[in-house]
């Protein structure tokens, strides 16, 4: 490189002897590159320089960060935009810079090549797509492409909604934008999103070479790419897609199918997917200029929408939890190199699976017999195979992961474990007895963690010789998929124990909240009144499907009656008993539940629940359930009334948990409910939800319900205070 241009803050720009400018993005003071007004200003300066400087012949855009091209827009910046017109102005500027970048290549005679290694997501991919040629590293682990905006309630706002369909076809582009999923270099090459892949070590050299080769060559109609793209366009799949997309009737079918699928998945609760469809359709039918205009308009509306703010809030909360040690003091976590898992059933098998593929620790499964051990190991194998199939794990690493797991029917091999996670049957005496066995078989500082879903940890710890090392690690089913881990500490649990388990949970890939011990902890407890109320509604004659439909429409992934069948009506009955003993009549189970358990209705697991099951598949409502309950399902209750009855209780109980010091913060309460129980993400969690509707409004609704239904609707103390003071629950 010969000439160095005046320094910019976030981009290093050099020009070589042949006049090829290399711009390496390097956002100052940050580990990752993100797009913000500051980076955009520097990018604009680069484009201007290339436009104006006759000695510059081509431009290569890359990154100076280690494993990161550009990871997307700066979400902190997006989060604080609260004025639609400001958003419009900002995005118009971004559009203008990217258009000029594109024109350098298309009409300016100066090829522009993106050299991509690491995350190329959101605004980063939009930047890459505005370049004429894209070369990526072939690193399948580090390099990824995607438009994840939809997960934050947004759409790609810097031209992505128009450039992506033109590069990869409408169907593929919609799939990427509506799911937000990322793809790896080989797939990106196949679909024509990048033109070439090469080893990371030579990426920049290859990019510079391609830039030089392209000087003086005509740009291919706008999106430049040479041989690889041509190949991908000629693939039978692509030709078939094109035939469909080029034809107005085919296109209409494609959009209406996508819309139908989107409505099925979002129930219309999420405005972003709807906007993505509209904008892509506009671009396809009315041309790219109309598409860009629609994109600007929709993005600006979305970025100030409550749904996007809630989703961005969840993103920040989970980021903050990644940095949280789970304790207020500074006790250091201890290393965990080997873990014992008691029970290789549904939960134990899942825990062993994330131990090996996530945390990468040696794991010893203890079961009651060989068949149990085999079941546990087969569970891990199933998970490992699945990851290989999804290309999340290389085949050779899969074999290594399986070598980490062994099994036993006694406590051999437990002498050097650092942590034991217990997932035997939900039975206090059994849990106490295995705890004592474990303490006899492990070293002095081994931690005992119980995965109980309802038994207070202090009760289990009563049997312990070292109660400061007893803790709860409450996973959710299926463990491999559910992101939350609720850690439960008693008054005796030592801080180093908590810190160790929190750190270990993060290694397993979990988002971890720490709560204080009490019946039901946080997540099980807030389900209590919600589930009980289902019983009251049924007793009032509200049909099962009306209840489920109402809550799915409200945004839960499944309705509460379906959930009860999944969890097990018998399990629910046990939990309700513990809760009633602890919290009194407010949590009293409706009479109907006892009738159901007496009728041997356990839900899905024995095929007898609120719904009928055939070969394990859920069918329609089992009408005989009404007879057992002694009710006539004929009450027509408006959907909003059902939603109010149920959602208020769920939310109110969450606030009580904060008031009583079960939760460490309202942030943890929001994340626990969304990640553990499927509380609608677009509502941001129970606390963010109260803030959105207003504490005064929420309290008024509760008071009205209390007037009719009594004390179970008594509002949490702090809610009334917030309502009176006009303050929010999330600061
Ligand atoms: P499961 O019935 O699938 O597995 C329990 C396993 O423990 C069985 O394979 C059994 O053979 C084994 N076991 C029993 N006594 C044992 C002993 N002395 N030593 C070693 N293994 C022994 O039950 P699941 O669903 O895995 O539940 C386990 C625990 O996890 C329970 O405490 C449950 O409350 C809790 N939990 C369950 C959730 C769920 O959705 N199923 C969610 C969260 C927690």
């Amino acid at each position: 490189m010969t000439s160095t241009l005046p320094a910019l803050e976030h981009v290093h720009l050099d020009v070589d002897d042949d006049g090829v400018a290399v711009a390496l993005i390097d956002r100052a003071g940050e580990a990752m590159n993100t797009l913000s007004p500051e980076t955009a200003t520097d990018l604009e300066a680069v484009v201007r320089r290339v436009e104006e400087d006759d000695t510059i012949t081509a431009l290569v855009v890359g990154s100076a960060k280690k494993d990161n091209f550009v990871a997307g827009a700066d979400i902190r910046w997006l989060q604080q935009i609260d004025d639609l017109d400001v958003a419009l102005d900002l995005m118009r500027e971004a559009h203008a810079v990217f258009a000029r970048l594109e024109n350098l290549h298309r009409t300016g005679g100066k090829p522009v090549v993106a050299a991509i290694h690491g995350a190329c997501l959101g605004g980063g991919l939009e930047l890459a797509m505005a370049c004429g040629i894209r070369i990526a590293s072939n690193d399948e682990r580090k390099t990824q492409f995607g438009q994840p905006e939809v997960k934050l309630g947004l759409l790609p706002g810097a031209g992505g909604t128009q450039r992506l369909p033109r590069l990869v076809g409408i169907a593929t582009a919609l799939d990427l934008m509506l799911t937000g999923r990322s793809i790896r270099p080989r797939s990106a090459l196949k679909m024509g999103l990048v033109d070439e892949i090469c080893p990371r070590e030579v990426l920049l050299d290859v990019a510079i070479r391609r830039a030089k080769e392209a000087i003086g060559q005509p740009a291919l109609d706008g999106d430049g790419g040479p041989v690889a793209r041509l190949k991908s366009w000629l693939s039978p799949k692509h030709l078939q897609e094109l035939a469909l997309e080029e034809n107005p009737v085919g296109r209409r079918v494609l959009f209406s199918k996508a819309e139908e699928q989107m409505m099925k998945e979002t129930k219309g609760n999420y405005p972003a997917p709807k906007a993505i469809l509209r904008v892509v359709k506009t671009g396809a039918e009315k041309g790219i200029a109309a598409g860009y205009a629609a994109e600007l308009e929709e993005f600006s509306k979305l970025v100030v929408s409550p749904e996007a703010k809630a989703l961005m809030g969840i993103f920040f909360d989970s980021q903050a939890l990644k940095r949280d040690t789970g304790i207020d003091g500074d006790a250091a976590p201890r290393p965990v190199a080997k873990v014992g898992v008691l029970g290789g059933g549904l939960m134990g098998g899942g825990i062993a699976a994330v131990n090996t593929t996530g945390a990468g620790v040696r794991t010893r499964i203890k079961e009651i017999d060989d068949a149990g051990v085999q079941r546990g190991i087969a569970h891990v194998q199933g998970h490992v195979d699945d990851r290989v199939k999804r290309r999340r794990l290389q085949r050779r690493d899969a074999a290594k992961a399986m070598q980490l797991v062994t099994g036993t029917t006694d406590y051999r091999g437990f002498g050097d474990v650092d942590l034991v996670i217990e997932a035997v049957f939900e039975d206090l005496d059994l849990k106490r007895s295995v705890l004592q066995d474990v303490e006899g078989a492990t070293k002095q500082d081994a931690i005992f963690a119980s995965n109980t879903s309802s038994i207070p940890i202090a009760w289990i710890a009563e049997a312990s010789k070292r109660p400061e090392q007893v803790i709860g690690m409450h996973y959710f089913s299926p463990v491999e998929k559910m992101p939350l881990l609720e850690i439960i500490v008693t008054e005796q649990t030592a801080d180093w124990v908590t810190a160790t388990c929190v750190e270990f949970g993060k290694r397993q890939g979990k988002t971890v909240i720490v709560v204080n011990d009490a019946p039901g902890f946080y997540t099980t407890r807030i389900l209590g009144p919600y589930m009980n109320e289902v019983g009251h509604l049924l007793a009032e004659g509200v049909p099962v499907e009306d209840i489920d439909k109402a809550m799915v429409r409200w945004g839960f992934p499944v309705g509460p009656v379906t959930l009860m069948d999944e969890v097990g009506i018998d399990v629910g009955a046990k939990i309700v008993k513990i809760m009633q003993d602890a919290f009194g009549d407010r949590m009293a189970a409706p009479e109907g539940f006892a009738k159901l358990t007496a009728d041997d209705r356990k839900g899905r697991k024995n095929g007898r629940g609120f719904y009928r099951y055939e070969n394990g598949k859920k069918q329609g409502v089992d009408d005989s359930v009404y007879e057992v309950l002694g009710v006539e399902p004929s009450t027509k209750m408006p959907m909003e009334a059902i939603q109010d009855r149920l959602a208020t209780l769920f939310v109110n109980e969450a606030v009580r948990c904060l008031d009583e010091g079960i939760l460490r913060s309202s942030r943890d309460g929001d994340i626990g409910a969304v990640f553990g129980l499927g509380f609608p993400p677009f509502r941001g969690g129970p606390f963010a939800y109260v803030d959105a509707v207003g504490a005064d409004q929420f309290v008024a609704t509760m008071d009205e319900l209390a007037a009719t239904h009594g004390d179970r609707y008594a509002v949490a103390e702090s809610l009334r205070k917030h309502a009176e003071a006009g303050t929010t629950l999330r600061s």
Side-chain angles (χ1 to χ4, degrees):
M1 305 277 162
T2 51
S3 89
T4 300
L5 299 164
L8 298 167
E9 211 186 334
H10 307 286
V11 183
H12 309 300
L13 184 62
D14 288 290
V15 181
D16 75 5
D17 292 341
D18 296 325
V20 176
V22 177
L24 297 182
I25 304 169
D26 190 7
R27 181 136 193 221
E30 303 276 343
M32 290 205 301
N33 282 331
T34 51
L35 294 183
S36 68
E38 294 83 45
T39 29
T41 302
D42 281 10
L43 278 173
E44 194 278 333
V46 169
V47 172
R48 187 156 24 93
R49 182 67 198 246
V50 179
E51 285 169 342
E52 290 172 359
D53 190 335
D54 291 340
T55 66
I56 294 181
T57 53
L59 172 65
V60 170
V61 181
S63 158
K65 302 287 190 209
K66 190 165 167 278
D67 289 320
N68 169 262
F69 176 70
V70 175
D74 182 340
I75 299 167
R76 279 166 305 185
W77 162 65
L78 289 177
Q79 171 80 323
Q80 43 87 24
I81 300 175
D82 51 13
D83 184 305
L84 194 138
D85 291 327
V86 170
L88 257 177
D89 285 346
L90 285 166
M91 295 317 291
R92 234 178 241 135
E93 282 171 31
H95 268 228
V97 176
F98 282 14
R100 281 165 58 198
L101 184 67
E102 192 175 49
N103 284 336
L104 280 175
H105 185 96
R106 292 182 64 177
T107 54
K110 298 187 179 186
V112 181
V113 180
I116 305 157
H117 169 74
C120 177
L121 302 169
L125 180 53
E126 294 180 287
L127 168 64
M129 289 192 292
C131 298
I133 299 171
R134 281 157 295 284
I135 319 280
S137 86
N138 60 3
D139 189 329
E140 290 279 306
R141 266 187 336 127
K142 307 258 168 65
T143 298
Q144 51 175 317
F145 307 84
Q147 298 286 181
E149 290 84 351
V150 72
K151 295 183 184 170
L152 297 175
L154 303 171
L155 53 71
T161 63
Q162 304 307 306
R163 290 193 179 98
L164 189 59
R166 281 165 180 79
L167 271 179
V168 302
I170 296 172
T172 309
L174 282 179
D175 170 46
L176 289 174
M177 286 189 274
L178 292 174
T179 61
R181 74 186 174 95
S182 334
I183 54 164
R184 306 285 159 170
R186 262 184 290 159
S187 315
L189 180 66
K190 236 184 178 168
M191 67 170 64
L193 186 54
V194 299
D195 301 294
E196 184 174 347
I197 56 178
C198 64
R200 185 216 168 152
E201 293 70 26
V202 295
L203 174 65
L204 209 52
D205 292 340
V206 172
I208 292 171
R209 199 168 343 126
R210 295 289 177 259
K212 285 181 187 168
E213 287 164 6
I215 297 168
Q217 302 287 329
L220 273 188
D221 188 31
D223 36 39
V227 191
R229 175 147 342 114
L230 219 57
K231 272 196 207 145
S232 97
W233 281 102
L234 291 176
S235 79
K237 178 169 176 276
H238 217 126
L239 287 175
Q240 208 179 340
E241 272 175 19
L242 265 184
L244 183 74
E245 291 171 8
E246 290 296 306
N247 154 344
V249 181
R251 225 165 32 214
R252 217 171 302 136
V253 172
L254 191 152
F255 278 109
S256 83
K257 276 225 167 100
E259 193 157 339
E260 194 183 306
Q261 178 69 15
M262 183 266 298
M263 279 309 287
K264 210 170 113 194
E265 277 166 24
T266 65
K267 308 283 179 287
N269 283 325
Y270 292 80
K274 225 186 272 177
I276 289 171
L277 278 172
R278 178 176 100 75
V279 169
V280 174
K281 200 169 171 186
T282 305
E285 286 174 357
K286 304 204 177 125
I288 198 157
Y292 283 138
E295 178 189 284
L296 276 173
E297 185 197 327
E298 291 287 2
F299 180 89
S300 309
K301 272 197 261 169
L302 289 174
V303 79
V304 297
S305 70
E307 291 85 357
K309 297 293 181 216
L311 292 167
M312 285 191 253
I314 290 171
F315 172 80
F316 288 118
D317 289 346
S318 51
Q319 292 293 100
L321 275 165
K322 283 195 181 127
R323 295 185 296 270
D324 193 336
T325 58
I327 54 171
D328 298 327
D330 53 9
R334 296 192 189 169
V336 175
K338 185 172 176 189
V339 176
V341 175
L342 302 188
L346 180 71
M347 299 304 286
I351 294 165
V354 296
N355 275 355
T356 48
T357 57
V361 292
R362 280 183 294 146
T363 298
R364 193 128 174 97
I365 301 175
K366 194 258 165 190
E367 255 289 348
I368 42 178
D369 52 25
D370 287 342
V373 171
Q374 288 315 320
R375 208 172 41 241
I377 292 180
H379 190 139
V380 180
Q381 183 76 59
H383 173 60
V384 164
D385 291 348
D386 187 56
R387 286 184 68 88
V388 171
K389 213 168 87 195
R390 291 166 186 267
R391 298 228 223 119
R392 298 274 176 84
L393 196 68
Q394 304 225 338
R395 213 162 276 282
R396 61 170 186 275
D397 294 333
K400 269 192 224 148
M402 284 315 294
Q403 278 163 13
L404 292 172
V405 206
T406 55
T408 174
T409 51
D410 51 30
Y411 287 95
R412 252 175 300 168
F414 269 61
D416 59 346
V417 298
D418 305 296
L419 165 68
V420 174
I421 304 173
E422 167 277 304
V424 301
F425 302 131
E426 186 77 340
D427 177 300
L428 177 60
D429 290 337
L430 176 63
K431 289 192 191 282
R432 282 179 171 165
S433 124
V434 295
L435 169 109
Q436 286 171 341
D437 294 343
V438 164
E439 287 185 344
T442 53
K443 56 187 184 180
Q444 274 304 313
D445 62 353
I447 296 171
F448 182 91
S450 174
N451 178 47
T452 172
S453 44
S454 62
I455 305 173
I457 304 301
W459 295 3
I460 301 171
E462 273 169 23
S464 171
K465 279 194 291 207
R466 32 191 210 224
E468 68 284 1
Q469 285 159 233
V470 178
I471 195 165
M473 286 178 92
H474 181 205
Y475 295 83
F476 295 77
S477 175
V479 182
E480 299 88 332
K481 293 218 177 92
M482 294 292 284
L484 188 72
L485 167 61
E486 181 181 34
I487 286 189
I488 303 120
V489 299
T490 72
E491 282 175 1
Q492 290 174 289
T493 309
D495 270 3
W496 70 263
V497 171
T498 310
T500 302
C501 293
V502 168
E503 194 185 71
F504 184 69
K506 289 181 199 167
R507 281 173 63 197
Q508 290 175 316
K510 301 294 166 200
T511 299
V512 187
I513 62 167
V514 175
V515 307
N516 282 311
D517 191 27
F521 330 123
Y522 171 61
T523 52
T524 307
R525 171 165 165 189
I526 55 177
L527 278 183
Y530 176 72
M531 293 301 209
N532 276 348
E533 201 57 23
V534 170
H536 293 297
L537 287 167
L538 288 169
E540 288 168 39
V542 183
V544 166
E545 54 271 61
D546 286 11
I547 299 174
D548 270 355
K549 244 187 235 151
M551 296 323 283
V552 169
R553 183 68 189 80
W554 204 71
F556 276 97
V558 294
V561 191
T562 300
L563 183 64
M564 227 182 287
D565 263 6
E566 293 293 331
V567 170
I569 300 171
D570 55 330
V571 174
K574 271 194 208 164
I575 296 176
V576 165
K577 164 115 187 31
I578 296 181
M579 306 281 265
Q580 185 173 355
D581 290 348
F583 303 107
D585 285 349
R586 186 167 80 69
M587 292 263 200
E591 278 172 24
F593 289 168
K595 293 184 193 159
L596 292 171
T597 39
D599 189 45
D600 190 33
R601 281 182 196 257
K602 293 188 176 149
R604 178 192 281 280
K605 64 186 163 196
N606 75 341
R608 285 170 60 78
F610 291 96
Y611 288 89
R612 286 177 288 109
Y613 296 87
E614 265 167 39
N615 301 325
K617 255 193 119 194
K618 186 175 146 205
Q619 310 291 318
V621 173
D622 180 352
D623 287 329
S624 67
V625 84
Y626 298 117
E627 251 165 72
V628 178
L629 291 171
V631 293
E632 187 67 38
S634 54
T635 306
K636 290 258 158 289
M637 190 178 279
M639 186 183 278
E640 293 73 27
I642 301 174
Q643 291 167 337
D644 274 350
R645 288 277 294 274
L646 291 165
T648 47
L649 286 176
F650 186 109
V651 169
N652 190 49
E653 202 61 31
V655 180
R656 280 178 186 263
C657 287
L658 184 66
D659 291 356
E660 292 170 25
I662 309 290
L663 284 170
R664 289 170 74 221
S665 64
S666 49
R667 173 202 68 190
D668 290 3
D670 278 345
I671 288 294
V674 172
F675 284 12
L677 304 173
F679 188 90
F682 73 93
R683 299 187 190 274
F687 296 87
Y689 168 70
V690 174
D691 287 345
V693 296
D696 51 350
Q697 176 61 48
F698 185 86
V699 168
T701 308
M702 288 281 302
D703 284 348
E704 235 172 75
L705 288 165
T708 323
H709 303 284
D711 270 356
R712 60 181 197 274
Y713 280 94
V715 77
E717 268 314 298
S718 68
L719 274 172
R720 204 172 288 288
K721 283 192 195 135
H722 281 295
E724 277 159 16
T727 43
T728 55
L729 281 75
R730 297 294 309 259
S731 47

